[in-house]
Amino acid sequence: DVQLVESGGGSVQAGGSLRLSCAASGDSYSRYCMGWFRQAPGKEREGVARIYVGGGSPYYADSVKGRFTMSQVKANNTVYLQMNDLKPEDTAIYICAASGVPWCDYNYWGRGTQVTV
């Protein structure tokens, strides 16, 4: 089993930056890829970024490409989402997810952290 805890959310003015963290605990062998999603009021959950735990370049949604950067520190089982040039439309609950299978079918979810721009 895997537990995920997000942190780093908050309120920021447009054009500002925030860095989200997601700390994973539990069975590290059950994580093949990690993802960030966001859920805004009245909207469907949107995949923002993902990264393979084994390495490789992250994938980004078009809406955040060039502004957000996902990274990981394997030694402490943590992934990050650096968000720059934030816009009001980035306002949402940001949720970390982990996939126990190689094709990024997420089965572990955090509770989320609020980002308000």
Side-chain angles (χ1 to χ4, degrees):
D1 205 7
V2 176
Q3 296 79 44
L4 304 171
V5 179
E6 303 95 335
S7 61
S11 295
V12 64
Q13 291 186 343
S17 299
L18 282 174
R19 188 193 194 206
L20 305 183
S21 300
C22 173
S25 60
D27 186 0
S28 62
Y29 295 100
S30 294
R31 295 184 294 119
Y32 285 90
C33 59
M34 301 288 294
W36 284 100
F37 292 77
R38 64 186 181 187
Q39 179 93 56
K43 295 186 177 181
E44 293 187 357
R45 185 172 60 196
E46 175 189 16
V48 174
R50 69 166 183 260
I51 192 168
Y52 286 98
V53 174
S57 299
Y59 163 85
Y60 301 99
D62 287 343
S63 57
V64 306
K65 199 173 294 183
R67 300 188 297 122
F68 290 11
T69 302
M70 186 175 184
S71 60
Q72 63 177 331
V73 176
K74 297 179 184 179
N76 58 13
N77 294 322
T78 302
V79 295
Y80 303 93
L81 187 68
Q82 177 67 43
M83 306 185 295
N84 298 329
D85 189 24
L86 283 161
K87 303 176 181 181
E89 52 263 43
D90 294 319
T91 296
I93 297 174
Y94 283 71
I95 306 162
C96 177
S99 170
V101 295
W103 50 91
C104 298
D105 187 9
Y106 299 97
N107 50 341
Y108 302 106
W109 297 86
R111 300 186 68 175
T113 184
Q114 177 70 45
V115 171
T116 303
V117 183

